[in-house]
Amino acid sequence: MGDKLSMADVPLGPYAGSLITVHSAKGTAANLHASKRCGQLRTSDVRTVDVPLETEALSRLCSRCAAWGAWGRSTTGLGMFLRALGGMGLLYQLQSYTEPDEDECWTDDEARDAAALLRAERDIAGDDDEDVEGDTSLEEAREDAERLRDLIFTHWRGAGRSLNQIQAVLTHFPWLVEWAKPSLTAKMRYLETLRAQAARFVDLEELLVAAAATTLSMPELPRADSAFAVLGSSRVSTALVDLWRRWQSAAGRLWEGPGARSYLSYEIVRDIRSNRKSYDAARAKAAHLIESWEGQARAAVASAHRAPTRRLTAHVPEAFEETARHDVWDFLDGLDAWTLGVLVTWTVRADWGNRVLMLEVPGLVAERLLGPTSDLPCSPAGEAAHRPEGDGGPVTQPGVVRPGVFDDTPVFDRRPVTLDHIRALRTLSPGADQLYLIFSASGGAEVLPLATIERRLAKGWLGVLIAGASDLPGSLICSEEPGSSSEPGARDAQRPGPGQSAQDRQFGEDLGLAEGGRRTLQHTYGTEDRDMNVRLLALARGAYDLRSLDAGRSGGLPVAVWHGLLTEDHLDLVPFLQPGSDRWRSGSGLPLGLLAGVQLYTTNADPRIEGKGHSPLCRHAHERAVVASDDLITVADLMARTDFDWCSKCGGYAIRRLTGSQLSYYRAAHRLHDIRRRLDGRSGTPDIDTSTLSAHLEELAAWEPADEEEWCSSDSWQWLGAIRELRRKAERSHAVTSTGEPAS
């Protein structure tokens, strides 16, 4: 099709001048690369610079990086634009299916001869088929013709898919439309050539017979006919119904023809020995039935020839995993041969970008296409949804990917995201982030999954995307090895125990955010996922209610991230209980303070509902993580009630990991409670001298959270009151120790 298109030929539109990071060897004419690890960058002295995206820079791109390089983050507008061009994207598609393939080339005469041969084969099938099968040259010719037929249909499908992909991309980048027109014209011309060649293999009469067979009602079956007595009275009805359904199904198999359907008469006597009495009579009667059904179908076809044609609008469905073939998802997958035959025969206009085809078909075919058994959603042309031409220009066209919708501009200049933008993100960047920081005037800043944002937009929500997980600054994201910090033995103290002290600096560390990051990395098995999981964890921590992240949705957060958000280790809340006579459960009456609002997630917090409460990470809950239907309570709720019915394995709930201030207060409370127990002689640990005790109390009296607003006055007074009480108790204890008598 002339000179090969390259990145330097592409109009850059609003992305012209955008900065891209490139790597190169020294020299003003050296090739530019997207990665330092590019195999064509053969130098140890690599220069890394930011250059404007212009024709001059694009002309210097390494061929491998131009096609497959990762230019910037794929979730930015610029990243999506460059990704849509490279690889198997726009540039490749514009140059494919524009003319016959050099490796798989055939002439129009060859296609015509092959179609004529196969049609003749179908006409004689069932008459002298044994003679045909014995002729090796005829068999080889038939196989070659079938291969050519399948090849032509494959190319027609591929050309349609290619046009679909191109027009879908041009919808998002409309400044490319004029530039792409010459290639599109060549592609559509070649697609029409392929369609016409494919149509030669389709027998119009067989298409109509198949349509008529589908619309025919089941006739009265001769269940009492003595010819079928050989089947047994219990099997006659079932065998005849099965024969009818097999005939209807065979009629829809486009390449077989009436001769192949006549063989169905053998199906009814398949399990009966051929030498049995009435075997031939049963088969002959079945053949007569099939012949009568064929006659009914052809009579319906004859009357249909006199009826006017109808115009239908067909909406070709997108392919899904269960319908895709050969691991290539094609929007024509899932359509049977009959439907494909209808498309190549009666399509009069096609919008491949929107997968909408205009068909002009006989009434019989229209009846089947509009019926409940059709694989192709169709509607009468007059009822098709009207899509007016956009008169607002590219700027107001929804779904256009321009700077300002994603993170290509400062937040101040960010444009509202639309539902079409989200769809464009899913199309152009299949690996889009699962979480986004968003802002709206109605809800402020929030962290939400992409699916939730999509649902809100469908209901009229107005907001902007601030950043995805991949947009977080790398200077704050650390994907260090799980064991690169302190050893597990130094962090095994969650609560006081034998040989451990609340005064230990590592006390309670397993409950905190730092340990959450380590757990996420420990549960991440793919090296390439480590950075993304840590980013997702950092962004998810900004969600007020983890149920909004809903692990039950498709494409939810990885389980490794949930282990970073939650812990099944429970808080030791004894310091916050009131003093009592129980040696082990007597508390210090400390205020919950910063811990009152710590979130606990459980499958069931209502004792009136059957079933125990489980942690979302519990095996009994299938380790599914937090879903929207889970219950959320706080530590204050936990201490106020005693009627919970918890799982004995997991304890009933998972705790949202403590922030730095919360963990600091948790440690301080346990240190204070440990001092009380020592003064009461109930700690079971050696006493400490008065000066050390006083130093600890002075340090605790000066404790306050990083954000003083979190430390309300009543909690502060109660905290300081507990410390004053312990000081007096320490002084009395010291006086007794010094004089041997109680202080007056």
Side-chain angles (χ1 to χ4, degrees):
M1 59 165 286
D3 295 336
K4 186 176 180 180
L5 295 175
S6 69
M7 292 280 268
D9 300 318
V10 179
L12 302 176
Y15 293 106
S18 299
L19 293 180
I20 58 172
T21 301
V22 298
H23 313 278
S24 69
K26 288 186 176 180
T28 56
N31 282 344
L32 304 179
H33 302 264
S35 170
K36 292 181 179 179
R37 293 185 293 275
C38 176
Q40 297 185 19
L41 182 56
R42 301 182 181 91
T43 180
S44 58
D45 187 8
V46 178
R47 298 176 55 205
T48 300
V49 294
D50 290 339
V51 299
L53 189 64
E54 295 174 347
T55 302
E56 180 183 356
L58 292 174
S59 63
R60 293 174 52 196
L61 292 182
C62 150
S63 59
R64 180 183 300 176
C65 292
W68 304 104
W71 298 98
R73 298 187 305 281
S74 62
T75 54
T76 65
L78 176 61
M80 283 187 279
F81 175 60
L82 295 176
R83 181 189 179 100
L85 296 177
M88 302 292 288
L90 186 63
L91 285 174
Y92 174 83
Q93 298 300 336
L94 284 174
Q95 298 172 93
S96 64
Y97 296 109
T98 58
E99 57 190 4
D101 192 298
E102 294 180 359
D103 298 326
E104 299 176 329
C105 188
W106 62 89
T107 66
D108 196 58
D109 289 339
E110 288 173 336
R112 183 183 299 105
D113 294 343
L117 173 64
L118 292 178
R119 185 173 291 108
E121 286 282 316
R122 286 196 299 272
D123 291 341
I124 65 174
D127 296 330
D128 50 357
D129 197 51
E130 293 182 1
D131 296 337
V132 174
E133 290 181 358
D135 191 329
T136 305
S137 61
L138 282 178
E139 286 186 19
E140 292 178 353
R142 179 177 58 190
E143 292 174 358
D144 290 343
E146 289 175 345
R147 277 194 292 269
L148 181 56
R149 177 195 66 197
D150 295 342
L151 185 61
I152 290 174
F153 267 84
T154 297
H155 275 247
W156 172 72
R157 292 161 63 94
R161 178 179 63 246
S162 181
L163 263 179
N164 170 261
Q165 294 176 358
I166 289 174
Q167 292 180 352
V169 169
L170 295 181
T171 298
H172 303 303
F173 309 108
W175 59 89
L176 299 176
V177 171
E178 287 298 322
W179 167 76
K181 270 186 178 179
S183 297
L184 283 174
T185 301
K187 290 180 71 69
M188 287 188 283
R189 186 186 304 117
Y190 184 56
L191 178 63
E192 176 57 26
T193 299
L194 292 171
R195 187 204 63 77
Q197 290 179 348
R200 289 200 183 102
F201 292 89
V202 179
D203 189 327
L204 299 185
E205 188 75 9
E206 283 300 302
L207 280 179
L208 292 169
V209 168
T214 303
T215 57
L216 286 177
S217 299
M218 183 185 295
E220 186 70 26
L221 300 174
R223 294 177 173 86
D225 196 308
S226 60
F228 296 118
V230 70
L231 302 178
S233 58
S234 61
R235 292 185 55 239
V236 172
S237 180
T238 302
L240 291 175
V241 170
D242 183 60
L243 180 64
W244 165 259
R245 290 175 177 167
R246 283 175 180 269
W247 174 79
Q248 276 193 315
S249 175
R253 293 195 286 273
L254 194 59
W255 311 130
E256 295 184 359
R261 294 195 290 276
S262 67
Y263 279 107
L264 292 175
S265 61
Y266 287 95
E267 289 292 327
I268 204 166
V269 291
R270 181 175 51 184
D271 298 327
I272 299 174
R273 296 194 307 273
S274 60
N275 60 354
R276 282 195 60 180
K277 184 179 179 180
S278 299
Y279 174 92
D280 291 333
R283 194 197 67 78
K285 187 62 178 179
H288 177 71
L289 276 177
I290 293 172
E291 187 178 348
S292 69
W293 298 337
E294 289 277 345
Q296 293 178 44
R298 295 190 183 280
V301 170
S303 61
H305 282 314
R306 296 188 294 271
T309 60
R310 296 180 61 183
R311 283 212 165 197
L312 302 181
T313 302
H315 303 271
V316 181
E318 290 187 86
F320 297 98
E321 188 171 8
E322 58 269 21
T323 62
R325 299 178 300 182
H326 312 300
D327 298 323
V328 178
W329 293 14
D330 185 347
F331 60 92
L332 291 176
D333 279 329
L335 301 181
D336 59 16
W338 182 86
T339 306
L340 293 176
V342 168
L343 295 183
V344 299
T345 303
W346 287 304
T347 296
V348 294
R349 190 167 65 251
D351 178 0
W352 292 103
N354 293 310
R355 306 187 311 281
V356 176
L357 307 179
M358 181 69 71
L359 310 177
E360 187 165 356
V361 298
L364 265 179
V365 175
E367 187 176 349
R368 173 169 173 174
L369 288 174
L370 295 172
T373 61
S374 175
D375 296 325
L376 186 67
C378 292
S379 59
E383 299 177 10
H386 177 63
R387 295 188 179 185
E389 297 287 337
D391 56 0
V395 175
T396 59
Q397 184 179 353
V400 174
V401 180
R402 291 176 168 272
V405 175
F406 300 98
D407 70 336
D408 305 287
T409 61
V411 175
F412 180 81
D413 295 325
R414 204 64 54 87
R415 303 182 186 191
V417 65
T418 67
L419 193 58
D420 283 336
H421 286 137
I422 300 299
R423 291 169 181 162
L425 180 63
R426 292 190 185 281
T427 301
L428 300 172
S429 183
D433 295 342
Q434 295 102 322
L435 291 183
Y436 277 84
L437 174 63
I438 64 170
F439 176 80
S440 66
S442 57
E446 300 174 89
V447 175
L448 292 175
L450 198 58
T452 302
I453 300 172
E454 198 167 10
R455 287 196 298 271
R456 287 192 180 185
L457 287 168
K459 296 178 181 179
W461 178 80
L462 184 66
V464 297
L465 301 180
I466 303 298
S470 59
D471 303 322
L472 300 180
S475 58
L476 300 179
I477 303 298
C478 178
S479 56
E480 63 177 9
E481 292 293 328
S484 62
S485 56
S486 55
E487 294 296 326
R491 299 184 279 105
D492 60 0
Q494 171 196 328
R495 56 179 64 86
Q500 298 174 341
S501 170
Q503 310 298 331
D504 189 338
R505 288 183 175 275
Q506 301 297 332
F507 177 79
E509 184 180 1
D510 285 355
L511 300 167
L513 298 180
E515 179 63 18
R518 288 189 284 267
R519 293 294 176 90
T520 290
L521 291 172
Q522 287 171 357
H523 284 83
T524 301
Y525 302 108
T527 304
E528 65 280 1
D529 297 329
R530 295 171 64 84
D531 182 70
M532 177 52 68
N533 280 354
V534 174
R535 289 174 176 274
L536 287 171
L537 174 62
L539 199 54
R541 284 170 175 167
Y544 174 75
D545 184 346
L546 297 183
R547 293 177 297 181
S548 66
L549 306 183
D550 192 7
R553 63 186 169 83
S554 176
L557 291 178
V559 174
V561 176
W562 286 106
H563 281 280
L565 292 169
L566 302 171
T567 175
E568 288 188 299
D569 295 330
H570 287 186
L571 297 172
D572 180 355
L573 298 174
V574 171
F576 311 102
L577 300 176
Q578 294 302 314
S581 58
D582 187 326
R583 174 183 177 87
W584 302 110
R585 300 292 297 172
S586 176
S588 296
L590 298 177
L592 278 174
L594 278 64
L595 300 177
V598 171
Q599 296 176 346
L600 284 59
Y601 292 89
T602 177
T603 60
N604 182 18
D606 189 345
R608 297 171 298 179
I609 298 178
E610 184 179 359
K612 293 182 178 293
H614 297 276
S615 158
L617 300 177
C618 177
R619 290 184 179 179
H620 293 161
H622 308 294
E623 301 181 53
R624 56 165 172 70
V626 177
V627 299
S629 60
D630 282 341
D631 289 336
L632 167 61
I633 61 174
T634 63
V635 168
D637 298 329
L638 183 69
M639 294 194 67
R641 291 171 50 189
T642 59
D643 59 345
F644 295 110
D645 186 13
W646 298 136
C647 165
S648 60
K649 297 294 184 183
C650 67
Y653 56 86
I655 300 173
R656 187 164 184 172
R657 291 191 176 275
L658 304 185
T659 65
S661 294
Q662 290 170 338
L663 181 57
S664 177
Y665 179 62
Y666 180 71
R667 288 170 171 166
H670 272 276
R671 289 179 62 192
L672 198 60
H673 179 62
D674 181 62
I675 292 173
R676 173 183 285 277
R677 296 183 69 218
R678 288 172 183 267
L679 290 173
D680 290 344
R682 295 186 299 179
S683 65
T685 57
D687 293 336
I688 56 178
D689 61 82
T690 304
S691 60
T692 303
L693 192 64
S694 298
H696 285 331
L697 290 174
E698 286 295 331
E699 182 181 346
L700 292 172
W703 182 91
E704 60 182 23
D707 186 353
E708 295 183 13
E709 294 181 359
E710 298 181 86
W711 195 226
C712 69
S713 57
S714 61
D715 290 339
S716 175
W717 293 339
Q718 194 174 348
W719 174 260
L720 294 175
I723 292 176
R724 286 194 295 270
E725 180 186 348
L726 290 181
R727 280 174 174 165
R728 289 193 295 269
K729 186 176 289 190
E731 290 171 357
R732 289 196 298 270
S733 175
H734 176 66
V736 170
T737 303
S738 301
T739 63
E741 297 179 0
S744 58

